[in-house]
Amino acid sequence: MLSLLALAALAFASPLPRAGYTFKESLPSAPNGWEQLSRAPGSHLLKLKIGLIQPRFGELEQALWEVSLPGSERYGMHLGKEEVEKLIRPHDESLELVDAWLVENGIPLSALSRSPAQDWITLTLPVSLAEELLDTEYHVFHHTTSGDYLVRTLGYSLPTHLHAHIDVVQPSTTFARLQPKRSSLHGDSIVLSSEAAIPPVPASCNHTITPACLKEIYNVGNYTASSTSGNILGIAGYLEQWANMNDTNWFYQVYLPQAAEQGYMFTVELINNGTNSQNESDAGGEANLDVQYAGGLSFPIPNIYYSTGGSPPYIPDDNTPQDTNEPYAEFLAYVLAKPDSELPRQLSTSYGDDEQSVPYSYAVRVCNEFAQLGARGVSVMFSSGDGGVGDGLGPNDQAYGPTTCYTNDGRNASSFLPAFPASCPYVTTVGGTYHEGPEWAVPFSGGGFSKYFSRPSYQSPTVDTYLAQHPQYLSLYQGLFNPSGRAYPDVSAQSNNFTLNRGGMWVLEAGTSASCPTFTGIVALVNDYLIAHGKPTLGFLNPWLYAVGHNAFNDITIGNNPGCLTNGFNATAGWDPVTGWGSPDFGKITSLLSLGS
């Protein structure tokens, strides 16, 4: 990937940096789907975030492996907030040099805000000053499909002596469009009925999914969790997706009466000017799906819905809004600042984008933030995506339109499209299944191999074995995927025809947006079991999962994940890049953990 960045820098059509500056990051052109319009108004405000180098991140990563790997002397001994912040704090020299640079450009230190570890600096400044600071030009870009607008640059420079001290400056070259992972193959939600016609729990879960179905399929039995153990399940929400409490209460009345009787309900925390409207017409299909199924499985464990603002990023006829379309950074800054006692033990996120739409430096930085959460004992789950290995189009689907599976590096070469943050090695990525007895891989289940992140040690033997046993993919898809990259998903769960209440109506939803809160709900129950038995919670799951945990999962061997006009990969015995290790069996997991594994 670094070679691609170097090529991009060479191709960046801009005057050479001014004296003392050199290119930090650049793109050869606007990514696919974006068109460059006019220069950005000089008065437009940017909320600029400067990420300073974290010189001891390698030590943090080593600690993450040690507290997450069964058999390690430190297994389960998660780090505290202060320990993590000490390991990611920049050198004093970095702080001094960056401060001096900002002051030299007329920015007083009093205008800055800093993260607790001082590894992020945030400041709000007009485009005109940002252009001078970064020796660049910002333009308005238009996304032709969605109609979104962004203020971005195709490249920026820094004083040469600061390259060793600054990781990333954003918003600059990030064109990611954070999207819910709800399957587009199914179109809009299917409306089942009004409130007057309440659907019963179906006799078969092959057609309609409810919490009772999931508890049956995943062997939860009559397990009852505690509401007072300190265990918290977190749900990340973005893009003004609002979780409606009235809808959720109605859902509980039908499918979890005990929760409704006890007044069980998620709480809400607002981040970066986030909102959570309770108007029925504003109820979000994604948000309601997340809270109703995370709560439906984890009851009575407290659930928190984090609503992070940051959309829309820019309105062309308004020259003064603040450009804050960096929701991951805002959310992570908020959560990482929490005391250890207030952190969720498990976190579900059903959003993501194509990996290539996120600049490499920014993707790495965000991924490293998830490593901090893992080191502090948080199990971080992400949906794997709903386009199979790319756009969800199989070899016979040309009639649905041209494939979008092309690189963004100026070559416009055919390529599978891994998803981010699903491709981050410090998160547990959840693919999709459907049917039961047995489960199949759902065709839209996102999966594949990262182009940004190399394969982590915890999964190398497993994935190497998979590729050795299926060498046909190396020749059939040569050049379309990176066989040495981080492979995903890690696990999977049901993701099709979920019954939920939205705006007072019963609807069906599909996507790995459903499988992620489902799996997270199961993890919450497992952590509850561990707490009740005086054991530490699982924290970062993957080292345990690949070492021993997979023995308690249901292997999925039927199905594939087409995309980019190919059949994608096949589900097969053992791990595969469609369903990972398969779906969880709560009873087997708790039995395994009771034996100390």
Side-chain angles (χ1 to χ4, degrees), residues 253-551:
Q253 287 184 44
V254 176
Y255 292 123
L256 202 63
Q258 186 180 4
E261 291 168 3
Q262 295 182 17
Y264 178 68
M265 186 56 60
F266 60 89
T267 58
V268 178
E269 295 187 16
L270 305 178
I271 305 169
N272 190 40
N273 298 314
T275 55
N276 194 50
S277 169
Q278 290 303 291
N279 294 330
E280 285 287 337
S281 60
D282 293 333
E286 177 58 53
N288 276 13
L289 175 63
D290 286 341
V291 299
Q292 289 173 20
Y293 277 87
L297 282 170
S298 66
F299 167 78
I301 296 169
N303 282 203
I304 300 176
Y305 183 70
Y306 301 104
S307 181
T308 302
S311 179
Y314 180 70
I315 302 172
D317 59 359
D318 184 345
N319 292 342
T320 59
Q322 185 169 296
D323 201 334
T324 58
N325 193 39
E326 300 290 343
Y328 283 140
E330 300 290 350
F331 170 75
L332 285 164
Y334 176 86
V335 175
L336 285 168
K338 282 182 169 290
D340 296 323
S341 61
E342 296 180 14
L343 276 181
R345 293 298 95 190
Q346 46 281 311
L347 176 66
S348 176
T349 308
S350 295
Y351 296 76
D353 204 348
D354 292 344
E355 184 183 68
Q356 67 176 7
S357 70
V358 184
Y360 174 78
S361 61
Y362 187 61
V364 169
R365 188 59 182 243
V366 168
C367 187
N368 289 352
E369 307 275 304
F370 293 123
Q372 294 180 45
L373 284 175
R376 291 177 64 184
V378 181
S379 300
V380 180
M381 270 66 73
F382 268 89
S383 299
S384 71
D386 296 330
V389 294
D391 58 7
L393 297 178
N396 299 316
D397 289 338
Q398 291 94 334
Y400 291 98
T403 180
T404 58
C405 298
Y406 297 103
T407 61
N408 265 350
D409 57 8
R411 297 179 299 124
N412 209 36
S414 296
S415 175
F416 288 169
L417 300 177
F420 181 81
S423 63
C424 171
Y426 308 125
V427 306
T428 299
T429 304
V430 187
T433 67
Y434 68 147
H435 298 317
E436 55 102 9
E439 287 180 88
W440 295 17
V442 75
F444 55 70
S445 183
F449 298 78
S450 173
K451 294 185 178 180
Y452 282 6
F453 302 101
S454 59
R455 183 139 62 247
S457 59
Y458 61 74
Q459 68 168 190
S460 284
T462 296
V463 181
D464 288 346
T465 297
Y466 171 82
L467 290 173
Q469 292 177 345
H470 303 278
Q472 69 272 22
Y473 294 127
L474 296 174
S475 56
L476 183 64
Y477 299 147
Q478 185 177 9
L480 295 179
F481 76 100
N482 172 24
S484 62
R486 186 278 204 256
Y488 72 95
D490 304 297
V491 297
S492 54
Q494 291 281 320
S495 60
N496 197 43
N497 288 341
F498 274 53
T499 308
L500 68 144
N501 196 285
R502 188 188 71 192
M505 304 293 290
W506 294 102
V507 301
L508 293 180
E509 292 276 10
T512 52
S513 283
S515 57
C516 193
T518 293
F519 182 77
T520 305
I522 298 295
V523 172
L525 296 180
V526 172
N527 280 332
D528 178 86
Y529 173 87
L530 290 171
I531 293 170
H533 287 78
K535 296 183 177 183
T537 54
L538 286 170
F540 178 43
L541 293 171
N542 293 7
W544 167 82
L545 175 68
Y546 283 82
V548 295
H550 63 270
N551 292 309

